[in-house]
Amino acid sequence: EEAARGMGGSNLQGIGAALNVVDGQLQVSTLVAGGAAAKYGKLRVGDQIISVAQGENGEAVDVREMKLNDAVKLIRGVAGSVVRLGVISSDSNQPAFHNITRAKIEFQEVIASGLVLEESKKANGSPYKVGVIKIPSIYMDVEGAREGKADYKSCTRDVAKILKEFRDQQVDVVLLDLRDIFSGQLSETLNLTGLFIDIGPIVQVKTAEGRVQHHDDIAKGMDWKGPLVLLTNKFSGGTSEILIGAIQDYGRGLVLGDETTTG
């Protein structure tokens, strides 16, 4: 549920799952590594949430016709408290009930990681090096940034370090895995996008009153200028789609995966 709210602090409180509305139904789109739901082990991506209750014996509230943000408010809560979810799994039509104890997720449990794969061969016989980056979300420690901490957790900063390692290893192409990525801070998304484009507009936000705000990359230069591939699926959404759209707009890379993303 953190996906609908964004990562607003040095840690998260809840069940550690990103939710999305698919065909009018509230579904689990991502389980955050190290989160309560992932450790619980019985909730799966694609499961439909039909009800939410507070505590093991609380009254169940039907969330099937509820707005996403309203359902998120019911699921979130104080670390250590129990939320009971009514769930129809992706492989069954029978509802089941899961008691999950909410918990905090420390950022060190959910950081970007990279590896280099060697595939096929070039004309000179040496292999192509593919640098793969997997991120759990477009995360940012907002409180740490506000406090001026020099080492506050930042997805952009972590990805930039990986890209430097890739450059040192002379990789031929970078593949950024955005499958199941929904959550993230807008400012962090802009910074992350800026690693792959030079300067220019990234996204516009229009308010309910009709005001349009432009968000641009103002930092010159790119941390990765070479070939780029974005790997997506139908659960790629939210802020990740801003990154995907900008890469397409600037012709900076290929987007591979499902026919559509969430949006």
Side-chain angles (χ1 to χ4, degrees), residues 7-263:
M7 291 189 170
S10 59
N11 52 52
L12 309 176
Q13 294 192 48
I15 65 170
L19 305 182
N20 194 21
V21 176
V22 179
D23 296 328
Q25 305 298 330
L26 187 66
Q27 288 189 1
V28 177
S29 61
T30 306
L31 295 178
V32 178
K39 292 178 179 178
Y40 175 71
K42 296 181 181 179
L43 199 64
R44 299 282 185 268
V45 171
D47 285 355
Q48 177 188 342
I49 297 178
I50 60 174
S51 67
V52 179
Q54 305 305 318
E56 297 182 9
N57 301 309
E59 181 179 356
V61 176
D62 192 327
V63 297
R64 283 174 288 190
E65 300 297 329
M66 189 176 291
K67 292 181 179 179
L68 177 60
N69 284 342
D70 292 336
V72 164
K73 292 177 182 178
L74 292 177
I75 296 173
R76 287 178 63 88
V78 178
S81 62
V82 173
V83 60
R84 188 171 85 253
L85 303 180
V87 174
I88 296 178
S89 67
S90 53
D91 57 1
S92 172
N93 293 323
Q94 298 300 318
F97 295 91
H98 301 297
N99 295 328
I100 301 176
T101 302
R102 300 177 177 104
K104 293 181 179 181
I105 307 170
E106 300 299 335
F107 270 110
Q108 58 264 29
E109 298 185 48
V110 284
I111 62 174
S113 59
L115 75 159
V116 176
L117 303 177
E118 294 187 352
E119 298 290 340
S120 189
K121 289 186 178 180
K122 303 177 184 178
N124 62 8
S126 63
Y128 286 97
K129 292 183 178 181
V130 181
V132 181
I133 300 175
K134 176 61 180 175
I135 59 175
S137 64
I138 304 177
Y139 54 87
M140 177 185 179
D141 179 359
V142 177
E143 292 178 5
R146 288 173 179 169
E147 293 171 1
K149 293 182 179 179
D151 59 346
Y152 72 87
K153 188 58 64 178
S154 159
C155 180
T156 300
R157 187 176 299 172
D158 292 341
V159 170
K161 290 178 181 177
I162 295 172
L163 290 174
K164 182 181 184 304
E165 294 173 0
F166 285 172
R167 294 195 304 272
D168 292 341
Q169 296 179 61
Q170 298 183 322
V171 303
D172 298 292
V173 58
V174 168
L175 187 152
L176 184 59
D177 189 349
L178 299 174
R179 291 175 297 177
D180 303 324
I181 301 302
F182 191 93
S183 61
Q185 289 283 336
L186 175 59
S187 60
E188 191 69 13
T189 302
L190 302 177
N191 293 335
L192 181 61
T193 304
L195 298 179
F196 303 101
I197 68 171
D198 191 1
I199 57 173
I202 294 176
V203 69
Q204 299 180 45
V205 177
K206 187 174 184 180
T207 68
E209 293 77 24
R211 296 192 300 272
V212 177
Q213 183 176 4
H214 297 261
H215 296 277
D216 301 345
D217 172 32
I218 59 175
K220 292 185 178 181
M222 294 179 279
D223 284 57
W224 179 253
K225 300 179 181 179
L228 176 66
V229 175
L230 303 184
L231 188 60
T232 69
N233 64 6
K234 63 182 180 181
F235 297 120
S236 303
T239 50
S240 72
E241 290 178 309
I242 295 175
L243 169 59
I244 295 166
I247 295 301
Q248 289 179 312
D249 289 343
Y250 284 89
R252 271 292 291 124
L254 299 176
V255 179
L256 304 180
D258 290 343
E259 292 184 359
T260 62
T261 55
T262 298

